[in-house]
Amino acid sequence: MFGGAAVPANSTHLRKSGSRPVVYDLDEHEVENGVDEGLLHPVEAADSRGSLTAVGAATMMPSPALLWRFKVLLFLIWAFICCKIGWDSVMIMSADKRELFLYEAFLYFNPLLLAALMVWLWGINLWFFAQGGVNYAKIFDLDQNHLTHREIWKCATWMTIIVPTSMTAYIYLYSHGEVSYAASQPVLLYAAAILVLIFPFDIFYFSSRYFFLRTLGRIIFPLQAISFADFFLADILTSMAKVFSDLERSVCRMVHRQVATIAWLEADSVCGSHSVAIPFVLVLPYLFRLFQCLRQYKDTGEKTSLLNALKYSTAVPVIFLSALKYHVFPDKWTNFYRPLWLLSGVVNSSYSFYWDVNRDWDLGGFTRIFKFNKPHLFSHMLHGRRWVYFWVIGSNLILRCTWTYKLSAHLRHNYLTVFIIAALEIFRRFQWIFFRVENEWNKTNSKSHSHLSAKEIPSDEENLLHSINYSV
């Protein structure tokens, strides 16, 4: 094969250098005279040098645990520097402007902070799905290039670093009199986020970005059959209605050049709390989901879709009745519209809670909590304990009630409270995802098993034909 005599497998003239064999074609006379020793020593020396080089390179490379600790240390140093610069910059402001400035700065950057939180939690969801053996790629109809939890966390890490850094630069520049440079910070940040999302080249996870944008397009224009990924993402968007509301106000101030100013506090400002655009933006995710349900009823004829559409329609009175506070007299709001707003909030929270437990999670009558005789595989591996179900159901009920507070336009001046409630709503959606995907996975498995069972059971004619062929 190599152009020489064949060498036995156990020959001393067969050596390996790296991954390729080194063969020396020597006769017995040369072996007896010791010629092989002179030839083999350089090869063995090269092998030893190569192994020493590999060991040296391995010892020079830091371990993954050490790299992870180094990254955490850098992250903590960065967080400390941002907090130090931000705190010193805020403290040099006058007390009368400090609160107003923090409210404005928070308005520009908290939407992306909440979005980063959602990305972090989504990565945790995917990690649990992978540990529980749930084929989420099949459920969402993802291609083989879909992002794993590690890649999701990488994106969330960059979002967590870039957004607070831009916010710190905004606070620092504004407090030191560089108003024009400070005003450019949120504009550049939002422009960069949009460019990364719509970048047309095959970088930055192009296939995943295209899938996300295509799904958004189907949510806005439900012109075809609704897939699981379509209404799943639309449900997540309903939990981020506050994000879209603040985005609208931020973009409005950027367009009207009100960034890093207090012009938006004026009564006639088009970007103030009384803007009529705010309730319309808040209601958009619910309208998208409502239209999806109507489209699903048109395609399937299931009356459950109409009941689901009714659930999303109950959010509309909560939003618009709350916005009326800025457009009616105080007495009329207190005596007439406020009781209607509270009643609509109770109806929306109760209906949504019922649908989460009985429809989305399939926990009707709490049967899967008290009857664990035949638990689902995912429940047993991922949850497996009754207190988890009690916690999720109880927290879901409480957060569904506080959700009404967040949807209320006349309460948005309590920006820290609203931010906390918005973050808790994202956490509620994070819990909801586990049980919603679990329920869909169980349905998918049951359909697959029933389909296989139907194919495996042969008909009488097939049995007869099989027996005849066997006899022949």
Side-chain angles (χ1 to χ4, degrees):
M1 182 182 295
F2 298 100
V7 183
N10 58 354
S11 173
T12 57
H13 302 293
L14 183 59
R15 295 290 185 270
K16 289 185 179 180
S17 176
S19 59
R20 294 177 298 176
V22 180
V23 181
Y24 296 97
D25 189 10
L26 303 176
D27 56 20
E28 296 180 358
H29 179 71
E30 291 175 335
V31 172
E32 292 176 357
N33 291 334
V35 180
D36 59 324
E37 296 178 3
L39 291 172
L40 293 178
H41 285 307
V43 177
E44 293 176 352
D47 288 343
S48 62
R49 286 195 299 269
S51 61
L52 289 175
T53 304
V55 172
T59 55
M60 291 177 62
M61 291 296 294
S63 63
L66 183 60
L67 284 175
W68 184 83
R69 293 174 182 174
F70 180 70
K71 292 178 181 178
V72 171
L73 178 61
L74 289 180
F75 182 83
L76 293 177
I77 293 174
W78 161 85
F80 174 78
I81 293 174
C82 287
C83 292
K84 178 64 175 176
I85 295 176
W87 178 263
D88 293 341
S89 301
V90 169
M91 288 297 104
I92 65 176
M93 296 181 185
S94 59
D96 55 340
K97 289 185 178 180
R98 186 179 303 161
E99 187 70 19
L100 297 176
F101 172 76
L102 288 178
Y103 174 72
E104 184 186 16
F106 201 72
L107 176 66
Y108 298 139
F109 297 98
N110 89 88
L112 292 181
L113 290 175
L114 292 173
L117 175 62
M118 187 71 248
V119 176
W120 276 112
L121 296 178
W122 174 242
I124 297 176
N125 287 131
L126 295 187
W127 181 78
F128 269 101
F129 295 154
Q131 297 297 317
V134 176
N135 189 359
Y136 60 88
K138 180 180 179 181
I139 296 176
F140 294 103
D141 195 20
L142 303 176
D143 58 16
Q144 60 182 359
N145 296 323
H146 68 274
L147 299 184
T148 64
H149 61 275
R150 293 184 180 89
E151 294 164 328
I152 293 293
W153 285 338
K154 185 182 297 184
C155 297
T157 300
W158 282 110
M159 294 176 65
T160 307
I161 293 174
I162 293 175
V163 176
T165 301
S166 179
M167 184 176 179
T168 303
Y170 175 81
I171 297 175
Y172 176 82
L173 292 172
Y174 184 87
S175 62
H176 287 77
E178 301 291 341
V179 179
S180 59
Y181 290 108
S184 65
Q185 289 300 314
V187 177
L188 294 176
L189 180 63
Y190 281 85
I194 295 174
L195 287 177
V196 169
L197 193 60
I198 65 175
F199 204 64
F201 301 104
D202 193 8
I203 56 176
F204 303 136
Y205 309 117
F206 175 76
S207 61
S208 298
R209 289 188 290 110
Y210 176 74
F211 178 82
F212 177 73
L213 293 175
R214 184 180 60 187
T215 306
L216 281 180
R218 290 198 302 265
I219 291 173
I220 299 174
F221 304 103
L223 303 179
Q224 55 184 345
I226 307 300
S227 66
F228 181 79
D230 294 342
F231 68 76
F232 183 86
L233 180 58
D235 275 329
I236 293 178
L237 295 182
T238 59
S239 293
M240 303 185 72
K242 178 64 168 56
V243 173
F244 297 110
S245 175
D246 289 344
L247 280 176
E248 183 274 330
R249 300 171 70 190
S250 300
V251 173
C252 179
R253 295 178 187 183
M254 294 175 192
V255 172
H256 292 85
R257 298 186 177 183
Q258 296 180 0
V259 183
T261 66
I262 58 173
W264 52 273
L265 289 175
E266 299 175 1
D268 57 349
S269 175
V270 295
C271 303
S273 298
H274 64 283
S275 173
V276 295
I278 294 175
F280 284 98
V281 175
L282 279 173
V283 83
L284 276 180
Y286 296 93
L287 293 181
F288 292 151
R289 193 66 185 92
L290 187 148
F291 293 147
Q292 282 185 338
C293 295
L294 296 179
R295 176 56 195 250
Q296 197 168 15
Y297 174 74
K298 178 184 176 182
D299 295 335
T300 63
E302 296 179 355
K303 295 182 179 180
T304 307
S305 301
L306 293 179
L307 297 176
N308 200 11
L310 180 62
K311 181 194 73 172
Y312 292 103
S313 67
T314 58
V316 178
V318 179
I319 296 173
F320 283 97
L321 286 174
S322 173
L324 284 177
K325 182 179 181 180
Y326 295 105
H327 305 281
V328 297
F329 293 107
D331 293 341
K332 194 171 184 179
W333 158 257
T334 304
N335 298 325
F336 183 74
Y337 289 110
R338 185 181 180 185
L340 290 179
W341 165 69
L342 293 174
L343 178 62
S344 61
V346 171
V347 172
N348 174 255
S349 300
S350 303
Y351 200 165
S352 301
F353 171 75
Y354 163 79
W355 199 271
D356 287 341
V357 175
N358 287 271
R359 298 291 184 174
D360 290 343
W361 298 345
D362 194 18
L363 295 177
F366 301 156
T367 54
R368 280 168 53 195
I369 303 177
F370 299 106
K371 297 180 181 179
F372 278 96
N373 296 329
K374 294 181 180 179
H376 293 292
L377 177 63
F378 189 48
S379 296
H380 180 69
M381 294 182 63
L382 186 58
H383 317 297
R385 296 182 180 179
R386 295 179 182 178
W387 69 267
V388 176
Y389 289 89
F390 287 119
W391 161 260
V392 170
I393 292 174
S395 61
N396 188 78
L397 176 61
I398 296 174
L399 294 178
R400 275 296 187 185
C401 296
T402 57
W403 184 236
T404 303
Y405 184 95
K406 194 198 72 62
L407 290 178
S408 302
H410 69 283
L411 299 174
R412 65 168 50 91
H413 59 277
N414 301 324
Y415 63 95
L416 288 178
T417 304
V418 173
F419 176 80
I420 294 174
I421 293 177
L424 290 175
E425 167 60 19
I426 291 177
F427 181 76
R428 186 199 66 82
R429 184 62 65 178
F430 160 73
Q431 295 183 145
W432 176 90
I433 289 174
F434 284 120
F435 296 91
R436 183 64 186 91
V437 173
E438 174 195 359
N439 188 24
E440 189 67 21
W441 178 243
N442 293 331
K443 292 179 180 179
T444 303
N445 285 340
S446 62
K447 291 179 182 178
S448 300
H449 291 327
S450 61
H451 181 67
L452 291 175
S453 300
K455 291 179 65 176
E456 290 175 356
I457 299 176
S459 62
D460 296 337
E461 295 179 357
E462 291 177 348
N463 290 332
L464 181 58
L465 182 60
H466 177 72
S467 62
I468 293 174
N469 292 335
Y470 182 80
S471 299
V472 173

